[in-house]
Amino acid sequence: MCVQSIEKLLEAVQNGEVSVADALQKIKAEPFEELDFAKIDHHRGVRLGYPEVIYGERKTPDQIAQITQKLLDRDNNILITRANEAAYQAVQSIAPEAKYNVMGRTITIEREITTPPASYIAIVAAGTSDLYVVEEAYETARILGNHVKKVVDVGVAGIHRLFAYLEVIQNAKVVIVIAGMEGALASVIGGLVDKPVIAVPTSVGYGASFGGIAALLSMLNSCASGVSVVNIDNGFGAAYNASIINHL
């Protein structure tokens, strides 16, 4: 249950459309619901502004479908990250409108349209190989209610490509920068914009990139003051924080 759901419930009671007893029963169903393998946090939307997000990796398709159903029972929007095709088929069996982003490995179900602010989030990626993180970030930002603009394959090996999109990047309210290899793009953009930059190191690169650790350390040591960093390949975390900033 999110803040908007509570507001609608109270308005329905005020208008005589829902009885006090029925409203009380709905509230009593909170704050969490217990399954054999999970405790569904139905109050997360009230506390944080958005309902629980399902991390799909290492969960079975049936577990994901059961959790999804419990969240849908309360008319929540759904975001499932790190989901595979089997999980998508299981979710689609209970929610045919579910959408699967193959590249980003996300499943989304939009039951309630969130009005986005006029401002937007820019997602900038160094290379095409980083698109799996770009798409996770994009789907996260979109379902959280944001306008998003993507600029991809503008890494430092061909830095002139970046300058063609500089106006789009500078006009964003917050910028997510995604890069593997040495991760230099985050520092470059951090020195060109007066907006918060959220850097995402990716696991893209040859041996000495150490699965993204080289990019992570480079970004953490950025000389650009406005750069903050999330975990390796964590497009979700970057977009969640960017959404909070974009809604301020």
Side-chain angles (χ1 to χ4, degrees):
M1 180 175 283
C2 62
V3 174
Q4 291 86 352
S5 297
I6 293 175
E7 289 175 347
K8 288 181 179 179
L9 180 61
L10 293 175
E11 288 172 359
V13 172
Q14 185 179 44
N15 296 333
E17 298 167 1
V18 175
S19 69
V20 172
D22 287 343
L24 184 60
Q25 185 58 41
K26 288 187 176 183
I27 294 173
K28 280 182 178 179
E30 316 298 336
F32 69 89
E33 184 173 2
E34 190 159 0
L35 301 176
D36 290 339
F37 52 84
K39 294 176 177 62
I40 316 302
D41 184 1
H42 291 305
H43 261 191
R44 192 168 302 186
V46 177
R47 300 192 315 272
L48 304 181
Y50 191 80
E52 184 172 2
V53 174
I54 303 168
Y55 180 74
E57 201 159 59
R58 300 190 183 277
K59 291 185 177 71
T60 68
D62 181 62
Q63 288 172 338
I64 292 170
Q66 287 191 55
I67 295 169
T68 299
Q69 184 63 69
K70 294 299 183 181
L71 291 169
L72 287 176
D73 287 344
R74 286 161 175 77
D75 295 320
N76 288 309
N77 287 342
I78 301 296
L79 172 61
I80 306 167
T81 64
R82 305 299 169 94
N84 57 29
E85 181 68 33
Y88 174 55
Q89 292 176 2
V91 170
Q92 198 175 39
S93 70
I94 61 170
E97 72 273 30
K99 296 178 181 179
Y100 185 45
N101 185 316
V102 177
M103 179 67 73
R105 294 192 297 161
T106 60
I107 301 170
T108 53
I109 303 171
E110 197 165 11
R111 288 285 174 89
E112 184 173 349
I113 304 298
T114 304
T115 302
S119 54
Y120 64 89
I121 298 169
I123 301 177
V124 186
T128 304
S129 295
D130 300 312
L131 281 175
Y132 67 103
V133 180
V134 170
E135 290 302 312
E136 182 180 77
Y138 171 77
E139 293 291 350
T140 300
R142 187 192 61 78
I143 198 72
L144 291 174
N146 299 278
H147 294 301
V148 185
K149 297 185 180 182
K150 293 185 283 188
V151 179
V152 300
D153 199 22
V154 290
V156 297
I159 197 68
H160 60 291
R161 300 171 297 179
L162 175 67
F163 300 131
Y165 299 93
L166 199 53
E167 185 176 355
V168 171
I169 298 167
Q170 289 177 328
N171 287 335
K173 188 166 185 178
V174 54
V175 184
I176 298 171
V177 181
I178 299 168
M181 302 288 186
E182 81 298 328
L185 185 62
S187 291
V188 171
I189 292 179
L192 293 171
V193 302
D194 61 353
K195 309 295 171 54
V197 173
I198 302 174
V200 188
T202 74
S203 51
V204 171
Y206 294 104
S209 68
F210 298 111
I213 292 178
L216 172 65
L217 293 176
S218 176
M219 291 171 173
L220 286 171
N221 284 283
S222 174
C223 188
S225 302
V227 177
S228 57
V229 188
V230 298
N231 209 344
I232 298 168
D233 290 340
N234 190 9
F236 163 75
Y240 198 102
N241 280 280
S243 179
I244 292 172
I245 294 168
N246 195 40
H247 281 83
L248 291 176

